[in-house]
Amino acid sequence: MGDNRLMIKVTVNDRLYELQVDPELRLVDLLRDELGLTGTKEGCGKGECGACTIIMNGKTVNSCMVLAFQADGSEILTIEGMGDGEELHPIQEAFIRQGAVQCGYCTPGMVLSAKAILDKNPNPSEEEIRKGISGNLCRCTGYQKIVDAIKDAAEVMGGGGDER
Amino acid sequence: MGIIGFTSRRLNEALQYLHQYGDETTIIAGGTDVLVKYHERLDELHRVLNIWQLEELKSIRIINDQIEVGSLVTHTQLEDSTIIQQNAPLLAEAAGSVGSPQIRNRGTIGGNVANASPAGDTLTPLLALDASVKFVSLDRGEKVVSLEEFLVGPGRHIMKKDELITALIFPIPKDNTVGAFVKLGYRKALAISTVNAAIMLGLQGNLIEDCRIALGAVAPTTKRAKLVEELLQGQDVTKSNTFEILGQLEKDIAPISDIRGSQQYRTDIARELVTQGLQKIVNKEVGRSGR
Amino acid sequence: MKGNIVGHSVPKVDAKAKVTGKALYATDLYMEDMLYMQVLRAPYAHAVIRKIDLAQALAVPGIVRIITKEDLPGLKNHGLIFKDQPALVGIGEKVRFTGDTLAIVIGESNIQVRKAIKKIKVEYDKLEVITDPLRAMEEDAVTIHTAGNIVCTHKLDKGDIVRGFMEADLIVYNEFKTQHVEHITLQPDAGLATLEEDDTICIWAATQWLHDTRVDVAQAMGLPVEKIRIIQPAIGGAFGKREDIIAQLHLAIAVREVKRPVKTIYSREESIIATSKRHPMIFRFRTGVKKDGTLTAWEATVIGDTGAYASSGPAVVHKGLYHCTGPYDCPNVRGVAYTVYTNNTYAGAMRGFGATQTAFAYESQMDIIAEKLGINPIELRLKNAYQVGSTTPNGQKLYASVGVKETIIKAVEAFERLGGVIR
């Protein structure tokens, strides 16, 4: 360690970081251990559970499946970057409103996958939602409330009449 | 001590790196195979060459009568590509069945080929599309080898350690061809195929003029079912005795028993999947689509 | 009086912290001067440990301390019902499953600790590995614990089973088996411990039973209960798994030795190897029934594989037995349940606590009976379903609020509404 460190530049939640990273450091470790962004969770380390999902250059990725130095030059959004300061993002509000949060460990990844779904299609079908969250495991609620929350968020964000 | 990482931003730079250090280098693109294989033992790697930033390998193009897919094209790109959807919908479907959105956003077609898994989901459609692999080294230049010859065993291929896959190439299917991809896994998402199958049929009316059937996870490599392909030629795809020919499939394959299925189960499923694939074609649930 | 809680949808108290990623789980705790801990697990599922060589592991840079049983001769066993589980297995002692711990390794970084663990050399003598509870119950099977392989036996006797079978027109016998199930709490097992100035050990780790964990850690270490403090961070799933002590005791031992904050995070594989499972059970049911479908007798043998340690096993397997007829009334019931040690990963509580396994068996048995009698399986169930006045196999009289029939009818309606066809 030490000698082989690589210099990278990454933008995380609109903030530019210039960092020296160990080549064996994974992106999830960089975010959590070095940048203190512990909202990104690790559940399996093998891309199976999606708890470590972040949005990288506009696409969801498992941050346990990326080496930190591979993220050089990229733009990253983590759960800490959702919403606007104190204001929650409509997806986060919908998750609370629909009871889509139980133990909460899948929630950050789930919210980011939801964002990717709605960024691609503001009016997704139930099937598109289910496919969109198929890389995120939840062990508590089952998926129905999460699907409901994403539908709810789509309505709110699309300005549809349903105010609730 | 410690592993050495390097990011190449140009193909030539990557080839020079492999020329010098190929023997001790692990190539990483999307990382969805490498980081699973080396989970919790990344320190055992020596050199890691990151090729994710090689922009020149990220496009899908039509060149004359062929389609060239850059090796760093992701599964998501394949799934969403108009060129692939119109000319090889079975490849788009296969790509869309891999892993999860997160995996498809990182996993590349070149990685799927280099990983050479007998269950690789894009490998069966590529075989059915009669694809070739283009790979390059610094001192021996470019080679194009059929995928069938490229794959030699589970996780094994003919490439040397200083070579890098740059593209997959396949002829644009003729207008009278129809393809289908069928997969069985334990879940809809994040399941390695227990068996998968890809079929390309050239039809003259209902008669099979030309036929390629590729199967995954039933032999040391994904492979063509050449005996059955031959038997199917000239048969009427709507007739039930055509489907009886699929009973011969077991002569084309050599499945093993493992956690995903026994030898017998895989043999039965292979037949079932090819049957379903042909039925999809007969029922026009799939298409040469577009044109 | 009208409030704003009952009858209203109230947001979860910690939902906002969880959707913003601010909720702190044990995995998310960091402290200055913090060390990392991992443990060396058993090299074989049943063996006597002869030698543990730490020399090469101690030479790995960054390793602060490696603790073995030899450092803690007074360490006592722990466990939810029986104190049969050791936090550390020493020289001359037995490992009973591949999750048993031989050494606690503490170092400056997780990577260093993992490297050191690979360099510990263990010599051991293999014993017969028993993975089948039926083998464990045989006379000549090696005993996993000194008192024998049957942890406990529970019995059930209601009515007159002999008369019940005499009244039957049909007797149906079947054997059913269920498998291990892993909880896969999405948050891997993890924890952090600190040593306060007054020597109080503070442990942050997900647990379902703070007070039991506290008392058990204290008694194992021979410390007064006041010297152990358990602080509950956000829990990333539990489902029964986190009733057992997982990392708490190792963390307490570690922090007491190194006097610096110690953190551990299990890999998913380690969590699957080392922590509790849903009990696999074998059910042997002999059921007597009249031609019209009325149950007359139900004889049950239940064998629950609790693995290397009892955990909640005695209670779980017992419950598996007294639910043997499910929600169906049978006047004559006799049963026996054996909770059995094997060299499998220990089994404990998981959602349903023994009742889920039994449901698979009795519902299958009911379907088989319906088929043999040529009766519609729903009718068979409605005919025998509990109602007010029914008595359960363990003699509990149901005097109010028995909704089984209503539930079955509503379920059938819902099934048909969704396009299901009942043959």
Side-chain angles (χ1 to χ4, degrees):
Chain A
M1 278 194 286
D3 312 334
N4 304 335
R5 291 186 155 224
L6 297 156
M7 179 70 169
I8 62 161
K9 287 184 194 180
V10 281
T11 306
V12 183
N13 303 332
D14 293 329
R15 184 170 154 193
L16 179 70
Y17 294 87
E18 291 189 31
L19 301 154
Q20 298 273 358
V21 296
D22 229 293
E24 63 189 83
L25 190 77
R26 302 169 307 160
L27 183 54
V28 63
D29 304 321
L30 175 74
L31 295 170
R32 289 175 51 84
D33 297 344
E34 311 221 347
L35 305 184
L37 299 170
T38 57
T40 302
K41 306 301 179 194
E42 182 173 358
C44 70
K46 291 188 172 178
E48 297 279 345
C49 78
C52 67
T53 300
I54 55 157
I55 296 181
M56 188 173 171
N57 297 329
K59 296 206 180 297
T60 53
V61 306
N62 294 312
S63 58
C64 73
M65 295 275 93
V66 182
L67 290 174
F69 84 89
Q70 292 189 285
D72 188 18
S74 66
E75 220 167 280
I76 289 167
L77 176 72
T78 72
I79 191 67
E80 289 88 350
M82 284 292 281
D84 182 15
E86 276 307 287
E87 287 284 291
L88 293 181
H89 188 280
I91 295 172
Q92 293 170 312
E93 285 178 341
F95 268 63
I96 296 175
R97 198 161 47 234
Q98 295 293 337
V101 180
Q102 198 163 321
C103 94
Y105 207 76
C106 75
T107 307
M110 210 54 101
V111 166
L112 289 163
S113 280
K115 181 172 191 302
I117 295 167
L118 298 179
D119 283 348
K120 194 171 176 181
N121 181 356
N123 223 335
S125 66
E126 171 144 352
E127 200 189 329
E128 281 169 322
I129 294 174
R130 288 186 180 271
K131 197 171 180 194
I133 58 167
S134 63
N136 296 77
L137 289 182
C138 162
R139 294 287 293 166
C140 305
T141 68
Y143 298 93
Q144 191 56 49
K145 290 182 176 190
I146 294 166
V147 172
D148 292 346
I150 298 171
K151 282 185 192 165
D152 183 352
E155 270 178 37
V156 170
M157 290 164 73
D162 191 358
E163 283 300 323
R164 256 175 292 203
Chain B
M1 278 296 282
I3 73 170
I4 299 164
F6 182 74
T7 296
S8 62
R9 289 173 199 281
R10 286 174 302 110
L11 178 58
N12 210 39
E13 189 182 44
L15 296 178
Q16 271 176 13
Y17 193 90
L18 290 173
H19 182 72
Q20 200 169 349
Y21 302 117
D23 286 341
E24 55 200 47
T25 298
T26 302
I27 300 167
I28 189 167
T32 55
D33 282 319
V34 174
L35 287 178
V36 172
K37 191 171 169 190
Y38 287 93
H39 179 239
E40 295 220 316
R41 48 187 198 98
L42 283 165
D43 56 304
E44 291 172 23
L45 291 169
H46 190 175
R47 288 176 184 275
V48 177
L49 173 64
N50 169 34
I51 57 167
W52 182 256
Q53 274 85 344
L54 293 178
E55 297 300 324
E56 55 208 291
L57 304 181
K58 289 186 174 177
S59 54
I60 300 169
R61 294 178 295 179
I62 295 179
I63 300 172
N64 301 321
D65 53 355
Q66 291 190 318
I67 291 171
E68 187 172 310
V69 181
S71 56
L72 291 181
V73 165
T74 64
H75 291 80
T76 301
Q77 252 179 298
L78 281 174
E79 194 184 356
D80 293 347
S81 152
T82 318
I83 293 177
I84 300 299
Q85 283 171 4
Q86 288 186 352
N87 295 285
L90 75 169
L91 180 56
E93 194 182 332
S97 79
V98 170
S100 64
Q102 293 92 320
I103 301 284
R104 294 194 287 276
N105 284 338
R106 289 289 292 183
T108 62
I109 192 165
N112 209 221
V113 171
N115 198 44
S117 161
D121 283 320
T122 64
L123 302 188
T124 41
L126 285 171
L127 279 176
L129 289 162
D130 212 11
S132 299
V133 188
K134 192 200 258 187
F135 54 97
V136 201
S137 69
L138 190 71
D139 56 352
R140 296 185 306 286
E142 197 169 272
K143 287 184 206 167
V144 178
V145 174
S146 75
L147 179 59
E148 222 181 325
E149 287 171 64
F150 183 86
L151 302 167
V152 292
R156 292 191 296 121
H157 48 66
I158 60 164
M159 240 175 18
K160 302 274 189 310
K161 291 286 279 177
D162 63 340
E163 289 168 322
L164 185 71
I165 301 175
T166 54
L168 282 302
I169 305 166
F170 55 87
I172 295 176
K174 290 189 216 135
D175 278 339
N176 66 335
T177 58
V178 200
F181 173 78
V182 204
K183 161 178 178 171
L184 180 79
Y186 273 81
R187 297 173 57 211
K188 283 186 199 160
L190 285 161
I192 291 171
S193 287
T194 304
V195 177
N196 62 30
I199 303 165
M200 283 293 285
L201 289 189
L203 290 172
Q204 198 68 267
N206 284 334
L207 292 185
I208 300 171
E209 191 183 63
D210 188 25
C211 163
R212 282 190 300 272
I213 296 174
L215 286 156
V218 292
T221 64
T222 44
K223 73 179 295 249
R224 295 261 301 272
K226 294 208 167 158
L227 172 74
V228 167
E229 286 178 2
E230 207 166 296
L231 294 172
L232 283 174
Q233 286 216 1
Q235 301 290 327
D236 184 330
V237 74
T238 59
K239 292 274 166 62
S240 64
N241 56 352
T242 302
F243 288 87
E244 278 161 30
I245 292 171
L246 302 181
Q248 305 287 321
L249 256 185
E250 62 185 285
K251 294 179 185 160
D252 272 318
I253 60 180
I256 55 161
S257 296
D258 66 11
I259 51 164
R260 280 184 282 277
S262 68
Q263 193 176 23
Q264 187 58 51
Y265 181 71
R266 283 199 158 98
T267 305
D268 295 345
I269 290 301
R271 181 181 178 175
E272 175 60 26
L273 291 188
V274 176
T275 305
Q276 284 182 15
L278 287 179
Q279 272 162 353
K280 273 169 94 172
I281 290 169
V282 174
N283 300 337
K284 303 200 169 27
E285 288 166 24
V286 287
R288 166 95 177 81
S289 109
R291 301 218 181 162
Chain C
M1 205 169 72
K2 218 166 175 230
N4 54 4
I5 302 291
V6 176
H8 294 264
S9 186
V10 180
K12 257 176 85 74
V13 65
D14 55 0
K16 189 173 174 186
K18 285 172 172 174
V19 296
T20 52
K22 288 185 182 128
L24 293 179
Y25 300 80
T27 45
D28 304 328
L29 304 173
Y30 294 78
M31 279 197 183
E32 255 177 61
D33 206 28
M34 181 176 86
L35 295 169
Y36 286 86
M37 178 196 92
Q38 295 280 332
V39 303
L40 173 70
R41 305 272 173 194
Y44 197 72
H46 201 194
V48 178
I49 301 302
R50 295 298 175 204
K51 195 176 170 194
I52 303 174
D53 181 356
L54 304 176
Q56 281 190 42
L58 282 165
V60 172
I63 296 306
V64 172
R65 185 88 166 82
I66 302 180
I67 304 164
T68 62
K69 181 69 185 295
E70 280 51 53
D71 300 312
L72 299 153
L75 187 67
K76 295 201 192 81
N77 285 346
H78 65 279
L80 286 174
I81 295 176
F82 299 120
K83 305 290 175 211
D84 62 352
Q85 189 164 358
L88 279 166
V89 175
I91 307 301
E93 297 177 344
K94 280 207 308 186
V95 289
R96 299 183 179 89
F97 84 117
T98 50
D100 269 328
T101 300
L102 299 182
I104 298 170
V105 182
I106 306 149
E108 300 287 347
S109 82
N110 218 11
I111 292 171
Q112 293 165 330
V113 170
R114 269 204 311 262
K115 274 181 195 161
I117 282 177
K118 286 183 202 163
K119 296 197 169 175
I120 300 176
K121 295 205 174 76
V122 181
E123 289 174 22
Y124 53 94
D125 292 333
K126 293 180 182 178
L127 298 168
E128 179 192 355
V129 173
I130 299 177
T131 56
D132 179 355
L134 298 179
R135 169 65 189 144
M137 291 170 80
E138 284 170 1
E139 291 261 316
D140 67 332
V142 56
T143 51
I144 294 165
H145 291 264
T146 43
N149 291 340
I150 297 178
V151 183
C152 60
T153 305
H154 288 99
K155 287 184 176 166
L156 199 63
D157 209 347
K158 173 191 169 189
D160 181 345
I161 194 80
V162 177
R163 216 181 87 202
F165 279 119
M166 280 169 62
E167 283 169 9
D169 295 318
L170 175 72
I171 295 174
V172 176
Y173 175 82
N174 284 296
E175 180 175 301
F176 304 95
K177 287 185 181 181
T178 66
Q179 81 287 12
H180 286 96
V181 177
E182 158 65 36
H183 311 61
I184 312 277
T185 53
L186 200 55
Q187 177 220 314
D189 300 298
L192 174 83
T194 60
L195 190 65
E196 303 302 300
E197 277 173 20
D198 66 351
D199 281 342
T200 301
I201 297 169
C202 290
I203 306 164
W204 286 259
T207 170
Q208 289 178 254
W209 284 354
L210 279 86
H211 305 93
D212 285 42
T213 301
R214 183 189 191 203
V215 170
D216 211 4
V217 169
Q219 73 78 26
M221 294 178 76
L223 293 172
V225 174
E226 310 80 68
K227 289 293 172 197
I228 306 293
R229 197 172 161 217
I230 310 278
I231 300 161
Q232 184 75 280
I235 308 172
F239 320 132
K241 183 190 285 289
R242 287 171 175 164
E243 292 187 8
D244 295 274
I245 283 182
I246 299 176
Q248 290 92 343
L249 193 41
H250 290 148
L251 284 167
I253 292 167
V255 77
R256 201 152 171 256
E257 293 286 318
V258 299
K259 299 182 172 34
R260 279 168 66 181
V262 178
K263 178 178 179 174
T264 191
I265 301 182
Y266 287 19
S267 69
R268 179 60 59 189
E269 286 79 357
E270 185 177 16
S271 186
I272 291 172
I273 289 166
T275 65
S276 92
K277 302 285 166 285
R278 173 171 281 163
H279 284 77
M281 290 191 193
I282 298 169
F283 298 91
R284 291 171 180 158
F285 286 165
R286 186 186 307 279
T287 306
V289 61
K290 287 188 179 163
K291 276 193 197 118
D292 68 355
T294 308
L295 295 172
T296 62
W298 198 299
E299 194 174 36
T301 301
V302 179
I303 298 157
D305 172 6
T306 203
Y309 300 103
S311 178
S312 310
V316 171
V317 180
H318 187 194
K319 192 163 177 174
L321 172 66
Y322 63 72
H323 280 283
C324 66
T325 65
Y328 309 113
D329 198 353
C330 183
N332 308 298
V333 183
R334 189 161 67 189
V336 58
Y338 303 97
T339 307
V340 182
Y341 285 128
T342 64
N343 296 117
N344 294 323
T345 296
Y346 70 89
M350 183 178 181
R351 289 185 163 183
F353 209 76
T356 32
Q357 290 95 317
T358 322
F360 162 70
Y362 61 71
E363 293 298 356
S364 302
Q365 180 80 340
M366 290 297 272
D367 279 340
I368 293 165
I369 292 169
E371 194 176 290
K372 284 192 192 281
L373 288 174
I375 295 180
N376 179 312
I378 294 157
E379 271 171 38
L380 179 71
R381 286 172 170 83
L382 286 173
K383 189 172 197 65
N384 292 287
Y386 281 153
Q387 49 200 339
V388 172
S390 301
T391 315
T392 65
N394 52 340
Q396 183 189 352
K397 190 159 182 185
L398 305 175
Y399 59 88
S401 187
V402 182
V404 182
K405 285 189 185 180
E406 228 180 311
T407 307
I408 293 171
I409 291 164
K410 295 262 184 211
V412 170
E413 281 170 11
F415 178 71
E416 285 176 333
R417 199 165 52 241
L418 293 168
V421 180
I422 292 160
R423 282 169 291 146

